[in-house]
Each structure stands twice: as C-alpha cells, then as structure tokens.
PDB file of all heavy atoms in Angstrom:
ATOM      1  N   VAL A   1      -2.203  -4.764   4.916  1.00  0.00           N
ATOM      2  CA  VAL A   1      -1.741  -3.866   3.862  1.00  0.00           C
ATOM      3  C   VAL A   1      -2.218  -2.476   4.140  1.00  0.00           C
ATOM      4  O   VAL A   1      -3.391  -2.224   4.370  1.00  0.00           O
ATOM      5  CB  VAL A   1      -2.287  -4.362   2.510  1.00  0.00           C
ATOM      6  CG1 VAL A   1      -1.816  -3.457   1.347  1.00  0.00           C
ATOM      7  CG2 VAL A   1      -1.795  -5.840   2.264  1.00  0.00           C
ATOM      8  N   LEU A   2      -1.281  -1.600   4.171  1.00  0.00           N
ATOM      9  CA  LEU A   2      -1.663  -0.171   4.293  1.00  0.00           C
ATOM     10  C   LEU A   2      -1.967   0.374   2.927  1.00  0.00           C
ATOM     11  O   LEU A   2      -1.175   0.334   2.018  1.00  0.00           O
ATOM     12  CB  LEU A   2      -0.481   0.673   4.923  1.00  0.00           C
ATOM     13  CG  LEU A   2       0.086   0.149   6.246  1.00  0.00           C
ATOM     14  CD1 LEU A   2       1.380   0.914   6.600  1.00  0.00           C
ATOM     15  CD2 LEU A   2      -0.918   0.315   7.292  1.00  0.00           C
ATOM     16  N   LYS A   3      -3.199   1.009   2.769  1.00  0.00           N
ATOM     17  CA  LYS A   3      -3.590   1.454   1.481  1.00  0.00           C
ATOM     18  C   LYS A   3      -3.534   2.928   1.469  1.00  0.00           C
ATOM     19  O   LYS A   3      -4.130   3.675   2.296  1.00  0.00           O
ATOM     20  CB  LYS A   3      -5.033   0.965   1.182  1.00  0.00           C
ATOM     21  CG  LYS A   3      -5.117  -0.503   1.123  1.00  0.00           C
ATOM     22  CD  LYS A   3      -6.453  -0.998   0.956  1.00  0.00           C
ATOM     23  CE  LYS A   3      -6.412  -2.544   0.897  1.00  0.00           C
ATOM     24  NZ  LYS A   3      -7.640  -3.199   1.217  1.00  0.00           N
ATOM     25  N   ARG A   4      -2.777   3.508   0.546  1.00  0.00           N
ATOM     26  CA  ARG A   4      -2.602   4.919   0.406  1.00  0.00           C
ATOM     27  C   ARG A   4      -2.932   5.316  -1.040  1.00  0.00           C
ATOM     28  O   ARG A   4      -2.983   4.538  -1.984  1.00  0.00           O
ATOM     29  CB  ARG A   4      -1.131   5.311   0.678  1.00  0.00           C
ATOM     30  CG  ARG A   4      -0.635   4.896   2.035  1.00  0.00           C
ATOM     31  CD  ARG A   4      -1.317   5.720   3.133  1.00  0.00           C
ATOM     32  NE  ARG A   4      -0.738   5.426   4.454  1.00  0.00           N
ATOM     33  CZ  ARG A   4      -1.438   4.648   5.317  1.00  0.00           C
ATOM     34  NH1 ARG A   4      -2.549   4.091   5.005  1.00  0.00           N
ATOM     35  NH2 ARG A   4      -0.911   4.415   6.541  1.00  0.00           N
ATOM     36  N   PHE A   5      -3.213   6.598  -1.286  1.00  0.00           N
ATOM     37  CA  PHE A   5      -3.572   7.114  -2.548  1.00  0.00           C
ATOM     38  C   PHE A   5      -2.649   8.279  -2.972  1.00  0.00           C
ATOM     39  O   PHE A   5      -2.359   9.124  -2.057  1.00  0.00           O
ATOM     40  CB  PHE A   5      -5.012   7.553  -2.626  1.00  0.00           C
ATOM     41  CG  PHE A   5      -5.977   6.383  -2.445  1.00  0.00           C
ATOM     42  CD1 PHE A   5      -6.496   6.093  -1.194  1.00  0.00           C
ATOM     43  CD2 PHE A   5      -6.290   5.596  -3.506  1.00  0.00           C
ATOM     44  CE1 PHE A   5      -7.311   5.039  -0.960  1.00  0.00           C
ATOM     45  CE2 PHE A   5      -7.105   4.553  -3.300  1.00  0.00           C
ATOM     46  CZ  PHE A   5      -7.671   4.198  -2.048  1.00  0.00           C
ATOM     47  N   ARG A   6      -2.250   8.271  -4.166  1.00  0.00           N
ATOM     48  CA  ARG A   6      -1.337   9.338  -4.702  1.00  0.00           C
ATOM     49  C   ARG A   6      -2.130  10.036  -5.848  1.00  0.00           C
ATOM     50  O   ARG A   6      -2.742   9.420  -6.670  1.00  0.00           O
ATOM     51  CB  ARG A   6      -0.086   8.741  -5.238  1.00  0.00           C
ATOM     52  CG  ARG A   6       0.753   9.716  -6.040  1.00  0.00           C
ATOM     53  CD  ARG A   6       2.209   9.326  -6.044  1.00  0.00           C
ATOM     54  NE  ARG A   6       2.887  10.245  -5.122  1.00  0.00           N
ATOM     55  CZ  ARG A   6       3.664   9.853  -4.110  1.00  0.00           C
ATOM     56  NH1 ARG A   6       3.755   8.547  -3.846  1.00  0.00           N
ATOM     57  NH2 ARG A   6       4.196  10.752  -3.360  1.00  0.00           N
ATOM     58  N   PRO A   7      -2.081  11.406  -5.782  1.00  0.00           N
ATOM     59  CA  PRO A   7      -2.783  12.100  -6.910  1.00  0.00           C
ATOM     60  C   PRO A   7      -2.189  11.796  -8.254  1.00  0.00           C
ATOM     61  O   PRO A   7      -1.025  11.595  -8.409  1.00  0.00           O
ATOM     62  CB  PRO A   7      -2.552  13.580  -6.575  1.00  0.00           C
ATOM     63  CG  PRO A   7      -2.011  13.633  -5.173  1.00  0.00           C
ATOM     64  CD  PRO A   7      -1.499  12.254  -4.830  1.00  0.00           C
ATOM     65  N   ALA A   8      -3.089  11.662  -9.240  1.00  0.00           N
ATOM     66  CA  ALA A   8      -2.638  11.352 -10.638  1.00  0.00           C
ATOM     67  C   ALA A   8      -3.268  12.420 -11.535  1.00  0.00           C
ATOM     68  O   ALA A   8      -3.967  13.301 -11.106  1.00  0.00           O
ATOM     69  CB  ALA A   8      -3.126  10.005 -11.021  1.00  0.00           C
ATOM     70  N   SER A   9      -2.977  12.294 -12.782  1.00  0.00           N
ATOM     71  CA  SER A   9      -3.459  13.334 -13.742  1.00  0.00           C
ATOM     72  C   SER A   9      -4.997  13.327 -13.905  1.00  0.00           C
ATOM     73  O   SER A   9      -5.643  12.346 -13.628  1.00  0.00           O
ATOM     74  CB  SER A   9      -2.877  12.969 -15.157  1.00  0.00           C
ATOM     75  OG  SER A   9      -3.300  11.767 -15.554  1.00  0.00           O
ATOM     76  N   ARG A  10      -5.497  14.459 -14.309  1.00  0.00           N
ATOM     77  CA  ARG A  10      -6.908  14.708 -14.551  1.00  0.00           C
ATOM     78  C   ARG A  10      -7.732  14.483 -13.280  1.00  0.00           C
ATOM     79  O   ARG A  10      -8.862  13.952 -13.391  1.00  0.00           O
ATOM     80  CB  ARG A  10      -7.412  13.759 -15.653  1.00  0.00           C
ATOM     81  CG  ARG A  10      -6.796  14.058 -16.976  1.00  0.00           C
ATOM     82  CD  ARG A  10      -7.291  13.165 -18.004  1.00  0.00           C
ATOM     83  NE  ARG A  10      -7.101  13.792 -19.281  1.00  0.00           N
ATOM     84  CZ  ARG A  10      -7.767  13.420 -20.385  1.00  0.00           C
ATOM     85  NH1 ARG A  10      -8.594  12.411 -20.368  1.00  0.00           N
ATOM     86  NH2 ARG A  10      -7.534  14.001 -21.540  1.00  0.00           N
ATOM     87  N   GLY A  11      -7.167  14.704 -12.114  1.00  0.00           N
ATOM     88  CA  GLY A  11      -7.993  14.668 -10.894  1.00  0.00           C
ATOM     89  C   GLY A  11      -8.237  13.260 -10.387  1.00  0.00           C
ATOM     90  O   GLY A  11      -9.022  13.115  -9.480  1.00  0.00           O
ATOM     91  N   SER A  12      -7.558  12.303 -10.898  1.00  0.00           N
ATOM     92  CA  SER A  12      -7.820  10.920 -10.478  1.00  0.00           C
ATOM     93  C   SER A  12      -6.768  10.565  -9.370  1.00  0.00           C
ATOM     94  O   SER A  12      -5.853  11.360  -9.086  1.00  0.00           O
ATOM     95  CB  SER A  12      -7.728   9.963 -11.576  1.00  0.00           C
ATOM     96  OG  SER A  12      -6.438   9.922 -12.134  1.00  0.00           O
ATOM     97  N   ALA A  13      -6.915   9.451  -8.801  1.00  0.00           N
ATOM     98  CA  ALA A  13      -5.927   8.919  -7.748  1.00  0.00           C
ATOM     99  C   ALA A  13      -5.479   7.484  -8.052  1.00  0.00           C
ATOM    100  O   ALA A  13      -6.428   6.749  -8.453  1.00  0.00           O
ATOM    101  CB  ALA A  13      -6.640   9.037  -6.358  1.00  0.00           C
ATOM    102  N   HIS A  14      -4.279   7.238  -7.835  1.00  0.00           N
ATOM    103  CA  HIS A  14      -3.799   5.826  -7.970  1.00  0.00           C
ATOM    104  C   HIS A  14      -3.508   5.287  -6.580  1.00  0.00           C
ATOM    105  O   HIS A  14      -3.010   5.983  -5.784  1.00  0.00           O
ATOM    106  CB  HIS A  14      -2.519   5.819  -8.847  1.00  0.00           C
ATOM    107  CG  HIS A  14      -2.739   6.124 -10.248  1.00  0.00           C
ATOM    108  ND1 HIS A  14      -1.673   6.509 -11.122  1.00  0.00           N
ATOM    109  CD2 HIS A  14      -3.829   6.122 -11.037  1.00  0.00           C
ATOM    110  CE1 HIS A  14      -2.206   6.707 -12.324  1.00  0.00           C
ATOM    111  NE2 HIS A  14      -3.426   6.489 -12.266  1.00  0.00           N
ATOM    112  N   SER A  15      -3.840   4.021  -6.416  1.00  0.00           N
ATOM    113  CA  SER A  15      -3.715   3.389  -5.164  1.00  0.00           C
ATOM    114  C   SER A  15      -2.288   2.898  -4.902  1.00  0.00           C
ATOM    115  O   SER A  15      -1.633   2.432  -5.904  1.00  0.00           O
ATOM    116  CB  SER A  15      -4.715   2.350  -4.890  1.00  0.00           C
ATOM    117  OG  SER A  15      -4.461   1.271  -5.796  1.00  0.00           O
ATOM    118  N   ILE A  16      -1.753   2.973  -3.747  1.00  0.00           N
ATOM    119  CA  ILE A  16      -0.462   2.473  -3.407  1.00  0.00           C
ATOM    120  C   ILE A  16      -0.665   1.470  -2.279  1.00  0.00           C
ATOM    121  O   ILE A  16      -1.354   1.832  -1.217  1.00  0.00           O
ATOM    122  CB  ILE A  16       0.500   3.552  -3.002  1.00  0.00           C
ATOM    123  CG1 ILE A  16       0.813   4.446  -4.139  1.00  0.00           C
ATOM    124  CG2 ILE A  16       1.805   2.977  -2.418  1.00  0.00           C
ATOM    125  CD1 ILE A  16       1.640   5.667  -3.757  1.00  0.00           C
ATOM    126  N   HIS A  17      -0.219   0.279  -2.377  1.00  0.00           N
ATOM    127  CA  HIS A  17      -0.287  -0.749  -1.340  1.00  0.00           C
ATOM    128  C   HIS A  17       1.033  -0.943  -0.661  1.00  0.00           C
ATOM    129  O   HIS A  17       1.963  -1.367  -1.237  1.00  0.00           O
ATOM    130  CB  HIS A  17      -0.810  -2.076  -1.879  1.00  0.00           C
ATOM    131  CG  HIS A  17      -2.185  -1.951  -2.591  1.00  0.00           C
ATOM    132  ND1 HIS A  17      -3.353  -1.844  -1.858  1.00  0.00           N
ATOM    133  CD2 HIS A  17      -2.521  -1.856  -3.901  1.00  0.00           C
ATOM    134  CE1 HIS A  17      -4.380  -1.750  -2.647  1.00  0.00           C
ATOM    135  NE2 HIS A  17      -3.871  -1.739  -3.931  1.00  0.00           N
ATOM    136  N   LYS A  18       1.029  -0.601   0.648  1.00  0.00           N
ATOM    137  CA  LYS A  18       2.296  -0.823   1.390  1.00  0.00           C
ATOM    138  C   LYS A  18       2.125  -2.065   2.235  1.00  0.00           C
ATOM    139  O   LYS A  18       1.414  -2.082   3.214  1.00  0.00           O
ATOM    140  CB  LYS A  18       2.536   0.411   2.353  1.00  0.00           C
ATOM    141  CG  LYS A  18       2.729   1.672   1.552  1.00  0.00           C
ATOM    142  CD  LYS A  18       3.090   2.788   2.423  1.00  0.00           C
ATOM    143  CE  LYS A  18       3.414   4.057   1.533  1.00  0.00           C
ATOM    144  NZ  LYS A  18       4.031   5.131   2.396  1.00  0.00           N
ATOM    145  N   THR A  19       2.735  -3.109   1.771  1.00  0.00           N
ATOM    146  CA  THR A  19       2.668  -4.458   2.378  1.00  0.00           C
ATOM    147  C   THR A  19       3.464  -4.556   3.727  1.00  0.00           C
ATOM    148  O   THR A  19       4.479  -3.883   3.858  1.00  0.00           O
ATOM    149  CB  THR A  19       2.983  -5.560   1.435  1.00  0.00           C
ATOM    150  OG1 THR A  19       4.427  -5.364   1.076  1.00  0.00           O
ATOM    151  CG2 THR A  19       2.167  -5.596   0.179  1.00  0.00           C
ATOM    152  N   THR A  20       2.927  -5.351   4.572  1.00  0.00           N
ATOM    153  CA  THR A  20       3.647  -5.659   5.785  1.00  0.00           C
ATOM    154  C   THR A  20       3.721  -7.202   5.950  1.00  0.00           C
ATOM    155  O   THR A  20       3.087  -7.931   5.257  1.00  0.00           O
ATOM    156  CB  THR A  20       2.964  -5.080   7.095  1.00  0.00           C
ATOM    157  OG1 THR A  20       1.670  -5.649   7.167  1.00  0.00           O
ATOM    158  CG2 THR A  20       2.823  -3.598   6.983  1.00  0.00           C
ATOM    159  N   THR A  21       4.671  -7.593   6.818  1.00  0.00           N
ATOM    160  CA  THR A  21       4.982  -8.990   6.954  1.00  0.00           C
ATOM    161  C   THR A  21       5.072  -9.378   8.474  1.00  0.00           C
ATOM    162  O   THR A  21       5.446  -8.611   9.266  1.00  0.00           O
ATOM    163  CB  THR A  21       6.364  -9.264   6.391  1.00  0.00           C
ATOM    164  OG1 THR A  21       6.405  -8.891   5.030  1.00  0.00           O
ATOM    165  CG2 THR A  21       6.834 -10.645   6.486  1.00  0.00           C
ATOM    166  N   HIS A  22       4.729 -10.586   8.758  1.00  0.00           N
ATOM    167  CA  HIS A  22       4.964 -11.167  10.080  1.00  0.00           C
ATOM    168  C   HIS A  22       6.045 -12.164   9.921  1.00  0.00           C
ATOM    169  O   HIS A  22       5.944 -13.123   9.148  1.00  0.00           O
ATOM    170  CB  HIS A  22       3.661 -11.796  10.617  1.00  0.00           C
ATOM    171  CG  HIS A  22       2.509 -10.958  10.750  1.00  0.00           C
ATOM    172  ND1 HIS A  22       2.603  -9.621  11.182  1.00  0.00           N
ATOM    173  CD2 HIS A  22       1.203 -11.124  10.536  1.00  0.00           C
ATOM    174  CE1 HIS A  22       1.374  -9.094  11.217  1.00  0.00           C
ATOM    175  NE2 HIS A  22       0.529 -10.001  10.834  1.00  0.00           N
ATOM    176  N   ILE A  23       7.117 -12.083  10.757  1.00  0.00           N
ATOM    177  CA  ILE A  23       8.269 -13.026  10.678  1.00  0.00           C
ATOM    178  C   ILE A  23       8.044 -14.029  11.833  1.00  0.00           C
ATOM    179  O   ILE A  23       8.007 -13.646  12.978  1.00  0.00           O
ATOM    180  CB  ILE A  23       9.565 -12.264  10.856  1.00  0.00           C
ATOM    181  CG1 ILE A  23       9.772 -11.260   9.704  1.00  0.00           C
ATOM    182  CG2 ILE A  23      10.732 -13.242  10.917  1.00  0.00           C
ATOM    183  CD1 ILE A  23      10.946 -10.329  10.012  1.00  0.00           C
ATOM    184  N   ARG A  24       8.006 -15.276  11.497  1.00  0.00           N
ATOM    185  CA  ARG A  24       7.888 -16.365  12.474  1.00  0.00           C
ATOM    186  C   ARG A  24       9.027 -17.356  12.357  1.00  0.00           C
ATOM    187  O   ARG A  24       9.336 -17.832  11.250  1.00  0.00           O
ATOM    188  CB  ARG A  24       6.558 -17.114  12.310  1.00  0.00           C
ATOM    189  CG  ARG A  24       6.324 -18.163  13.344  1.00  0.00           C
ATOM    190  CD  ARG A  24       5.054 -18.915  13.042  1.00  0.00           C
ATOM    191  NE  ARG A  24       3.928 -18.057  12.908  1.00  0.00           N
ATOM    192  CZ  ARG A  24       3.121 -17.682  13.858  1.00  0.00           C
ATOM    193  NH1 ARG A  24       3.329 -18.123  15.110  1.00  0.00           N
ATOM    194  NH2 ARG A  24       2.078 -16.919  13.708  1.00  0.00           N
ATOM    195  N   ILE A  25       9.763 -17.590  13.488  1.00  0.00           N
ATOM    196  CA  ILE A  25      10.860 -18.496  13.510  1.00  0.00           C
ATOM    197  C   ILE A  25      10.603 -19.485  14.599  1.00  0.00           C
ATOM    198  O   ILE A  25      10.362 -19.176  15.714  1.00  0.00           O
ATOM    199  CB  ILE A  25      12.167 -17.721  13.726  1.00  0.00           C
ATOM    200  CG1 ILE A  25      12.512 -16.782  12.582  1.00  0.00           C
ATOM    201  CG2 ILE A  25      13.316 -18.698  13.861  1.00  0.00           C
ATOM    202  CD1 ILE A  25      13.723 -15.995  12.757  1.00  0.00           C
ATOM    203  N   VAL A  26      10.650 -20.745  14.216  1.00  0.00           N
ATOM    204  CA  VAL A  26      10.492 -21.868  15.162  1.00  0.00           C
ATOM    205  C   VAL A  26      11.789 -22.620  15.259  1.00  0.00           C
ATOM    206  O   VAL A  26      12.377 -23.059  14.240  1.00  0.00           O
ATOM    207  CB  VAL A  26       9.390 -22.858  14.618  1.00  0.00           C
ATOM    208  CG1 VAL A  26       9.194 -23.946  15.635  1.00  0.00           C
ATOM    209  CG2 VAL A  26       8.037 -22.058  14.497  1.00  0.00           C
TER     210      VAL A  26
END
C-alpha cells in the first residue's frame, strides 16, 4: 500500500492509501 498525505484544514493532514494488487492466474 502506497501511503500518501493530503493537507487538510487547520494545518492537519489526512492519509490516503493507494492500494496495489498482485494478479495470479493458474
């Protein structure tokens, strides 16, 4: 999971989780 932060009000930050996937085909 790529973890990023976006500025929010009053100088705080909200986290953003950018998920990734592994595709497996048998």
